[in-house]
Amino acid sequence: MSNNKAVVLLSGGLDSATCVAMAKDQGFDVYALSFRYGQRHSVELEAADRVARHLDVIEHKTAEIDLTLFGGSALTDDIDVPKDRDEGEMEADIPVTYVPARNTIFLSFALAYAEVVGAKDIFIGVNALDYSGYPDCRPDFIKSFEETANLGTKVGVTEEERIKIRTPLIDMTKAKIAATGVALGVDYSMTISCYDPDTSGAACGHCDSCLLRQKGFHEAGLADPTRYQA
């Protein structure tokens, strides 16, 4: 094993699975991190386990936190998930599927994990194109968190090499992401991106995330392997 280690946030969806594959392709030994945070379904964690095994990561941990304590999101509270919206509606405002401060929390956990395993690189699958307007997916946020990471850790203040927050998907369309993952051997039938799947793990096909995923596969000329609800 090399010393080229990276922590990769793995949700079980299209973007994070692609991130794992890209990190491995760049020569990193991947330590994957997922979260059971009180989200309305556990099927994404089952998907994350499948992806971690499929892509042969060094280690895969799932952190337990409870963001239902605060709620405020359709993913952690009794709020309906928006369905069948066009891209104009998706881009009009920050949607109710935004989980307050989620990426800040997730990156903080990833930073702690990285310090322990000796990783200087953290991958997160945020995307500034074909996304649903989340403020914590923007380049300015990532740059700011990277500065915080290097100011607030032992590694950041005692070693010359800086901690890097890597966002390889930031300027990629969903079509480019899907095509890249396929080229790197990702089996997207193992993943799920849906905000409102049923208990069997079938995607709803109507939420913002499902619609963006469908658009990506279509524009890439690829078959969508997602199992949708009848």
Side-chain angles (χ1 to χ4, degrees):
M1 189 189 305
S2 73
N3 290 321
N4 202 24
K5 300 176 181 178
V7 171
V8 183
L9 293 176
L10 177 60
S11 70
L14 181 148
D15 293 345
S16 65
T18 307
C19 256
V20 171
M22 293 177 76
K24 291 199 66 176
D25 187 60
Q26 293 172 28
F28 287 98
D29 294 321
V30 171
Y31 292 74
L33 179 60
S34 303
F35 293 88
R36 179 174 284 106
Y37 61 91
Q39 61 268 55
R40 62 170 54 216
H41 57 81
S42 62
V43 295
E44 69 177 34
L45 294 173
E46 296 165 7
D49 286 339
R50 291 192 296 269
V51 170
R53 291 193 299 270
H54 166 57
L55 295 177
D56 195 26
V57 304
I58 301 299
E59 186 172 76
H60 178 214
K61 290 185 177 291
T62 298
E64 303 268 354
I65 54 179
D66 186 10
L67 297 184
T68 65
L69 178 65
F70 310 122
S73 167
L75 303 189
T76 59
D77 210 335
D78 188 19
I79 301 170
D80 289 339
V81 172
K83 300 288 180 70
D84 297 316
R85 303 200 305 168
D86 62 33
E87 289 185 51
E89 291 174 302
M90 292 182 198
E91 295 169 359
D93 53 22
I94 298 171
V96 296
T97 50
Y98 163 68
V99 179
R102 182 176 63 177
N103 281 348
T104 305
I105 295 165
F106 286 4
L107 282 170
S108 297
F109 272 67
L111 181 59
Y113 189 21
E115 276 209 283
V116 171
V117 301
K120 298 292 178 60
D121 297 87
I122 297 170
F123 283 71
I124 180 171
V126 294
N127 178 246
L129 301 174
D130 288 349
Y131 81 119
S132 294
Y134 298 145
D136 52 3
C137 290
R138 296 174 300 155
D140 285 350
F141 165 73
I142 298 298
K143 180 180 179 182
S144 175
F145 189 92
E146 184 175 275
E147 288 300 316
T148 299
N150 283 286
L151 287 170
T153 57
K154 178 181 177 181
V155 169
V157 300
T158 62
E159 299 186 22
E160 290 185 8
E161 188 179 355
R162 286 174 57 84
I163 297 165
K164 297 182 180 67
I165 310 297
R166 296 186 178 271
T167 57
L169 313 184
I170 195 75
D171 293 320
M172 295 170 67
T173 64
K174 277 288 189 286
K176 178 64 174 175
I177 293 168
T180 298
V182 168
L184 293 175
V186 178
D187 181 354
Y188 286 122
S189 70
M190 296 182 174
T191 69
I192 185 165
S193 302
C194 182
Y195 292 144
D196 195 23
D198 66 19
T199 55
S200 76
C204 74
H206 298 277
C207 68
D208 293 358
S209 189
C210 279
L211 295 175
L212 290 171
R213 179 177 172 122
Q214 290 166 3
K215 174 176 177 281
F217 279 107
H218 175 74
E219 291 181 352
L222 297 168
D224 182 357
T226 307
R227 183 168 61 89
Y228 291 104
Q229 297 167 24

